[in-house]
Amino acid sequence: MRQSITRAAPLRGSGVLDTPLAFAAVVLVAIGISLLVGYYDYRIGLIIAAGLIGGAMTFICLFDTRLGFVITTIVGFFMFYIKRMSDDAIPMGVAVDVLTAVTFIGAYYRKSIHKQRIWQYMKNPVSYMYIMYLGFLLIELFNPSMYSVSGWIFTVRKFVNFVMIYFIGLFTFNSVKDVKDYLKLWLFLSVLSGAYGCFQQWFGLLGFEEHWVVSDPVRYRLYFQGGDIRKFSFLSDPTAYGILMACSIVFAIVLAMTTQKPKQRNQLIAGIIIMALGMAFSGTRTAYFMIPAGLAIYILMTITNRRTLLFMAGFLMFIIVLMFGPFSGNNTVNRIRTSFHLKDDESMNVRDANRHNIQPYIWRHPIGGGVATSGVLGIQYNPGHPLAGFPPDSGYLRTALETGWIGLIITMTLFFVTLLVGVKGYYRARDREVKALYVAIVTGLYAYIVAHYAQVAIGQIPGAFFFYSAMAIIVKMKDFETPSHKNSDQVKTITT
């Protein structure tokens, strides 16, 4: 029996790519790019490569929400590393904002195609608080104390990006597996950042990193302390690096305490050691407070657990050895010890004095002096403003200065409601895996909330991806209880 073989018709226009003219055009473009890179500026090649890669990533984020969210998180981790490598030639901050927005738009249209109403994701206390805060920011546009609208646009744009991360999480996390996959990615990137910080400590900074540090005298004075340069890994600065490591350490410790798999526990312990070394090399004093603060919440939530009591005893012994052990010659250990000597900390005393002196201004301005009016942003967007150049060393102080005590109340209520939803969800959950995720995420969030008192911790990339995604996970986790557990609870209720 003879079989007929049919050829597929060639794509329309594909023959144009096979012509000598097309080949010559490609060769000319390649030669032109090579000449520009070789004889003019090597950064042109980086910009072209970044443009091509960025274009591909944009299409992926638009048509695959889950993969787009993963890509955006990874880019957020390495954005400052790429900026330093290109000598700040590539605007990576804009790239992350664009990828976040495109991912959100793609998720929105995918939900619309499946006839899912976006408003169903609004029916929870956390989303209500976000809507309230966004409305308050709109009111801030008419703040008479604010000089510049461009500063307001900058602040609102950043806030909208954070809200988009939150809603992307609501759209993306549809099962426990989705949550676990994202958190595994987060821990892997955190451990990788910790390992690179150790590399910087043991082998020194790479050439472009050292150039970046010494090129700014102010930056060099901030980084070079105690006879050594504070390490920053892939992140923007040592403070952001240390805070990220501390949050991830707290999160990993709780997961290691709650997991039933020895292999998984050993992997988490190894990662904790690497991240702890990276945190110590960052020299970030705020990070040293975050770990006991986060673990205190874990201990309170699981105080009846025998393993928790044993861990609490072991952790206290570790702290005592670290603070009073016979190894005072190590600069890293000495910096950790001095972090807890609050009365002798000149930096903390200066901050307390600044906060005391600025309190009358906060009381006189219920909606603050306007967004982007304090610190460096105030000098940039609102020069001449009474708050311009004032150092908002605390995230809460910055909120109180720029949005007043009303804005501070809304912000604190948002954090309180989020933690409340997480704690209530933990005690209501019956699935062991869901309970473990609840308590781990609550402790990680609380560590960030504590750090926001001493630094502007919440809102920095890449930590914002964990913070706002964790909020989304807390909201969605109640839907992840397995049917078997729900049915067993119903049977118990009926029998009793």
Side-chain angles (χ1 to χ4, degrees), residues 266-425:
N266 293 335
Q267 292 174 345
L268 287 169
I269 291 173
I272 290 167
I273 294 172
I274 294 173
M275 292 187 292
L277 289 173
M279 179 194 69
F281 297 148
S282 73
T284 305
R285 294 177 175 177
T286 302
Y288 308 146
F289 286 97
M290 292 174 63
I291 295 179
L295 294 179
I297 291 296
Y298 167 71
I299 292 171
L300 289 174
M301 293 177 65
T302 61
I303 192 65
T304 57
N305 192 315
R306 179 173 174 270
R307 184 181 294 182
T308 300
L309 297 176
L310 294 175
F311 170 77
M312 181 172 61
F315 184 72
L316 288 176
M317 290 182 61
F318 171 77
I319 293 295
I320 291 172
V321 172
L322 181 66
M323 294 298 296
F324 304 104
F327 31 82
S328 58
N330 189 287
N331 290 332
T332 301
V333 174
N334 290 338
R335 185 171 180 84
I336 294 175
R337 289 176 174 177
T338 56
S339 300
F340 295 91
H341 298 161
L342 300 181
K343 293 183 179 180
D344 300 329
D345 191 343
E346 296 182 1
S347 176
M348 183 63 70
N349 294 334
V350 172
R351 294 182 184 184
D352 289 339
N354 288 338
R355 292 169 184 169
H356 179 75
N357 294 333
I358 204 65
Q359 282 180 1
Y361 182 91
I362 297 173
W363 287 114
R364 291 196 305 268
H365 296 78
I367 61 173
V371 295
T373 55
S374 64
V376 178
L377 290 178
I379 298 175
Q380 179 179 354
Y381 291 106
N382 292 272
H385 194 280
L387 297 178
F390 183 88
D393 298 312
S394 165
Y396 299 118
L397 177 61
R398 182 173 192 168
T399 301
L401 290 174
E402 298 187 355
T403 61
W405 49 267
I406 295 178
L408 180 62
I409 290 174
I410 296 175
T411 301
M412 299 296 293
T413 305
L414 170 63
F415 296 158
F416 173 77
V417 168
T418 303
L419 294 176
L420 180 63
V421 171
V423 172
K424 290 176 66 175

Side-chain angles (χ1 to χ4, degrees), residues 33-332:
I33 293 175
S34 301
L35 291 174
L36 286 174
V37 173
Y39 292 97
Y40 184 69
D41 195 337
Y42 74 95
R43 290 176 292 185
I44 293 178
L46 295 174
I47 294 173
I48 294 174
L52 294 174
I53 296 172
M57 289 181 178
T58 301
F59 278 105
I60 293 173
C61 293
L62 186 61
F63 296 107
D64 191 334
T65 303
R66 185 172 289 106
L67 182 57
F69 197 31
V70 168
I71 290 174
T72 307
T73 303
I74 295 174
V75 174
F77 258 88
F78 295 99
M79 58 177 288
F80 296 103
Y81 189 77
I82 297 173
K83 284 187 64 177
R84 285 191 287 267
M85 187 182 296
S86 63
D87 200 15
D88 293 335
I90 301 177
M92 291 302 299
V94 176
V96 172
D97 292 345
V98 170
L99 290 177
T100 302
V102 170
T103 304
F104 175 79
I105 293 171
Y108 176 83
Y109 278 106
R110 284 173 66 88
K111 295 296 180 183
S112 300
I113 291 172
H114 290 88
K115 307 298 182 181
Q116 295 184 9
R117 294 183 177 180
I118 304 301
W119 288 106
Q120 70 183 16
Y121 297 97
M122 300 286 190
K123 297 178 180 179
N124 61 82
V126 178
S127 296
Y128 294 153
M129 291 304 305
Y130 270 125
I131 295 173
M132 181 185 298
Y133 194 80
L134 182 59
F136 182 73
L137 285 181
L138 295 177
I139 295 175
E140 282 290 335
L141 176 62
F142 306 99
N143 191 329
S145 301
M146 186 176 63
Y147 298 164
S148 171
V149 176
S150 59
W152 178 86
I153 295 174
F154 171 82
T155 303
V156 172
R157 179 176 64 86
K158 298 301 292 183
F159 178 76
V160 170
N161 280 333
F162 299 148
V163 174
M164 284 193 292
I165 294 174
Y166 167 72
F167 278 102
I168 291 171
L170 292 180
F171 300 155
T172 304
F173 302 133
N174 297 312
S175 65
V176 174
K177 184 180 182 302
D178 293 339
V179 173
K180 289 171 62 177
D181 289 344
Y182 185 78
L183 294 178
K184 285 178 182 177
L185 171 69
W186 178 266
L187 282 176
F188 172 77
L189 293 173
S190 297
V191 172
L192 187 62
S193 299
Y196 191 74
C198 295
F199 171 84
Q200 291 178 324
Q201 176 71 19
W202 296 332
F203 300 99
L205 302 179
L206 298 181
F208 68 91
E209 294 173 327
E210 188 173 357
H211 167 74
W212 178 77
V213 172
V214 301
S215 61
D216 187 342
V218 177
R219 182 187 299 138
Y220 181 77
R221 285 197 300 269
L222 290 174
Y223 288 15
F224 188 79
Q225 296 183 11
D228 196 10
I229 292 180
R230 299 168 59 193
K231 303 308 179 292
F232 44 84
S233 187
F234 304 123
L235 276 69
S236 60
D237 55 79
T239 300
Y241 175 50
I243 290 174
L244 178 73
M245 290 296 98
C247 172
S248 300
I249 289 169
V250 170
F251 182 73
I253 288 175
V254 176
L255 288 180
M257 291 290 296
T258 54
T259 184
Q260 303 296 319
K261 301 176 181 178
K263 180 180 179 181
Q264 190 178 72
R265 184 181 299 112
N266 293 335
Q267 292 174 345
L268 287 169
I269 291 173
I272 290 167
I273 294 172
I274 294 173
M275 292 187 292
L277 289 173
M279 179 194 69
F281 297 148
S282 73
T284 305
R285 294 177 175 177
T286 302
Y288 308 146
F289 286 97
M290 292 174 63
I291 295 179
L295 294 179
I297 291 296
Y298 167 71
I299 292 171
L300 289 174
M301 293 177 65
T302 61
I303 192 65
T304 57
N305 192 315
R306 179 173 174 270
R307 184 181 294 182
T308 300
L309 297 176
L310 294 175
F311 170 77
M312 181 172 61
F315 184 72
L316 288 176
M317 290 182 61
F318 171 77
I319 293 295
I320 291 172
V321 172
L322 181 66
M323 294 298 296
F324 304 104
F327 31 82
S328 58
N330 189 287
N331 290 332
T332 301

